[in-house]
Amino acid sequence: MNKALKVILFSCILFVVTSTAAFANVETMDRSSEFKCGEDVYKYKAGVDYKDGEIVVDFVLSIESEADIYEVAENNSCTAEVISFADYGKCALFILPEGQSVPEAIIQVEKDPRVKQATPNMYFWQETPDDEKNAEEIDRISGATRYDTAIEVANRIKELRDIEKFENIVVAYGGNYPDALSGGYLASVKNAPMLLVNPANETKVEKYIKDNLDSDGTVYILGGETVVSKRFEKKFTNVKRIWGKNRYLTNLEVLKEAGFPKETDNEVMVCTGNGYADSLAASATGCPVLLVNNTLSKEQKKFIMDNHIKWFDVLGDETVVSKSIAKELQEVVFSPGSIHQSVELTCRYAGSDRIGTSIEVAKMYMGEKTSPIHKPIPSAVVLAYANSYADGLAGGVLASELDAPIILIDNKATSIDKVKAYLKDVGIETVYVLGGSSLISDNTVYALK
């Protein structure tokens, strides 16, 4: 039996839930102080009021940004999972480390400038039926934080390559996703792992690099000094900073540093720069990724023309990469001064959600003979949590090393069914999981087998 995990449940707005009907994904909830959500059994022990036989629960939190929720959680040595209730929008599930009291956690969270109020009236601890033997069967690569998880991923890559040290190491800011996901292609080209850094863990990352980088190896820092400090850069002799004025220009500089285009680069994957999900799935392919906003910049148009790009794979539906962007790509290719008389294809790969899109990317790039960059049918898959980028940022290099796709997943039954069907169709039995069980639960992984 796993140790109990204390959990605090907040929402992003103030409201009151009356009766069990508000919990759209909860099967049962009654006066026995227990309810079941998917395969997990939760017991509550405080803050629950009964009124006329029904449960009344208050949730209070004032954090608007989903990214801020994860950052606040990590700053307070806990993890967070964003969940949704059909009638009341998104909520954040904060999972405390063992030994941390609820009042202590509330005080710490309230000190964060992004939080105006944090007063939970309900908290849970989670019990799962997993025994120690089953837990050992899951190949889970995780650390206490996203920064530690990135180091554990790097260590796993060393094991797979049977090496003592890396030729190069790529470092990106861990507090946001664009630079790290742009850097997946560079890391693949440079045979480098992706490490994450923030001001609080510079010393730890510095030590890891000095212990695990060849004496003549290079440290590639992605992003400007506002995200990865000059102080950190000065710790290394062979170091190169790659950055632009915004995420899109940094993305172009990363592609240039990677030597794009190479003989094998006959396509570019196009992903939104305003979300992480699709570019996270793309990072496993080892292919160059072009991040786009609502329209192409003049720098992006010039880059496309100068490098004679002729094949664009657009990831995600038209709500994330608009139809107008796809049209602009075509127009740039056919613009005066371009050498192209025609474009082979501009394809869009999208599922009904981010999980489905990650599966579509896997189908296209892993084992499909029609793929421009044909890779063998995968024998393994790397799972990343669909609702947070934190642990998945460093996983693209690992997946590429394994010739495995990154598949996004959460703990909902519908998501599990989608991923399980893909694994069955391809015949995949080996599963690697990025991050701790508070995100992708052990039960979710067992359900895939």
Side-chain angles (χ1 to χ4, degrees), residues 224-269:
E225 294 176 12
T226 58
V227 289
V228 181
S229 72
K230 184 71 173 178
R231 177 184 63 250
F232 179 78
E233 180 181 357
K234 287 182 176 180
K235 299 292 184 180
F236 311 103
T237 303
N238 299 324
V239 60
K240 186 166 187 178
R241 185 183 291 272
I242 306 162
W243 70 288
K245 292 182 178 180
N246 56 46
R247 64 187 62 184
Y248 306 101
L249 296 180
T250 295
N251 174 227
L252 295 183
E253 293 304 316
V254 168
L255 291 173
K256 293 173 186 176
E257 182 62 34
F260 180 88
K262 299 180 181 296
E263 291 182 4
T264 56
D265 296 331
N266 56 3
E267 68 181 302
V268 168
M269 305 181 81

Side-chain angles (χ1 to χ4, degrees), residues 16-249:
V16 177
V17 179
T18 305
S19 87
T20 63
F23 291 83
N25 60 340
V26 173
E27 296 176 9
T28 62
M29 190 171 183
D30 55 32
R31 298 179 69 97
S32 67
S33 299
E34 178 177 301
F35 69 87
K36 186 176 182 183
C37 182
E39 295 297 322
D40 296 330
V41 175
Y42 293 83
K43 292 184 177 182
Y44 53 83
K45 75 174 197 178
V48 179
D49 299 322
Y50 291 93
K51 180 180 180 181
D52 298 327
E54 294 191 311
I55 299 170
V56 180
V57 186
D58 296 330
F59 304 87
V60 180
L61 185 63
S62 183
I63 299 181
E64 295 182 358
S65 167
E66 184 172 318
D68 281 350
I69 290 174
Y70 295 116
E71 193 74 13
V72 168
E74 189 163 302
N75 289 345
N76 292 283
S77 301
C78 56
T79 55
E81 177 176 355
V82 175
I83 57 178
S84 297
F85 293 107
D87 299 327
Y88 296 97
K90 290 183 176 179
C91 302
L93 199 64
F94 277 46
I95 303 172
L96 304 182
E98 185 178 1
Q100 184 175 11
S101 69
V102 172
E104 178 186 12
I106 296 169
I107 292 170
Q108 289 177 345
V109 169
E110 284 183 326
K111 287 181 179 179
D112 191 288
R114 287 164 292 192
V115 180
K116 297 177 182 177
Q117 188 178 18
T119 310
N121 299 96
M122 184 177 186
Y123 57 94
F124 310 110
W125 76 89
Q126 179 181 358
E127 293 184 350
T128 67
D130 314 325
D131 57 33
E132 293 181 3
K133 181 179 178 181
N134 284 338
E136 290 174 358
E137 292 176 354
I138 296 177
D139 197 338
R140 190 181 290 278
I141 306 169
S142 67
T145 68
R146 67 189 69 182
Y147 307 96
D148 297 308
T149 296
I151 288 174
E152 292 304 317
V153 169
N155 286 334
R156 182 61 65 91
I157 293 170
K158 282 174 58 180
E159 292 177 13
L160 291 169
R161 294 179 183 174
D162 192 21
I163 60 174
E164 292 296 324
K165 296 191 175 185
F166 293 106
E167 299 173 4
N168 304 289
I169 291 178
V170 177
V171 181
Y173 177 55
N176 210 339
Y177 54 84
D179 294 343
L181 293 177
S182 288
Y185 174 62
L186 176 67
S188 178
V189 169
K190 299 294 183 181
N191 292 315
M194 174 76 68
L195 298 182
L196 305 178
V197 70
N198 71 356
N201 78 334
E202 286 183 356
T203 301
K204 179 188 293 186
V205 176
E206 175 196 348
K207 184 179 186 307
Y208 184 86
I209 291 173
K210 290 182 175 179
D211 289 345
N212 292 276
L213 180 66
D214 285 339
S215 58
D216 58 348
T218 302
V219 178
Y220 294 90
I221 295 176
L222 307 183
E225 294 176 12
T226 58
V227 289
V228 181
S229 72
K230 184 71 173 178
R231 177 184 63 250
F232 179 78
E233 180 181 357
K234 287 182 176 180
K235 299 292 184 180
F236 311 103
T237 303
N238 299 324
V239 60
K240 186 166 187 178
R241 185 183 291 272
I242 306 162
W243 70 288
K245 292 182 178 180
N246 56 46
R247 64 187 62 184
Y248 306 101
L249 296 180

Side-chain angles (χ1 to χ4, degrees), residues 350-367:
S352 59
D353 56 20
R354 58 184 57 183
I355 294 168
T357 296
S358 72
I359 292 172
E360 291 303 312
V361 172
K363 288 178 179 178
M364 180 60 192
Y365 282 84
M366 307 286 178

Side-chain angles (χ1 to χ4, degrees), residues 355 359 381 383 407-409 413-428 431 444-449:
I355 294 168
I359 292 172
V381 67
L383 297 181
I407 299 295
L408 304 185
I409 193 170
T414 52
S415 304
I416 293 170
D417 288 344
K418 285 182 185 178
V419 176
K420 187 173 183 177
Y422 167 73
L423 299 183
K424 183 178 179 181
D425 288 345
V426 180
I428 294 175
V431 175
T444 292
V445 183
Y446 301 145
L448 295 174
K449 297 183 177 182

Side-chain angles (χ1 to χ4, degrees), residues 266-292:
N266 56 3
E267 68 181 302
V268 168
M269 305 181 81
V270 180
C271 303
T272 178
N274 298 312
Y276 60 86
D278 297 335
S279 49
L280 189 60
S283 68
T285 67
C287 296
V289 173
L290 180 69
L291 299 182
V292 296

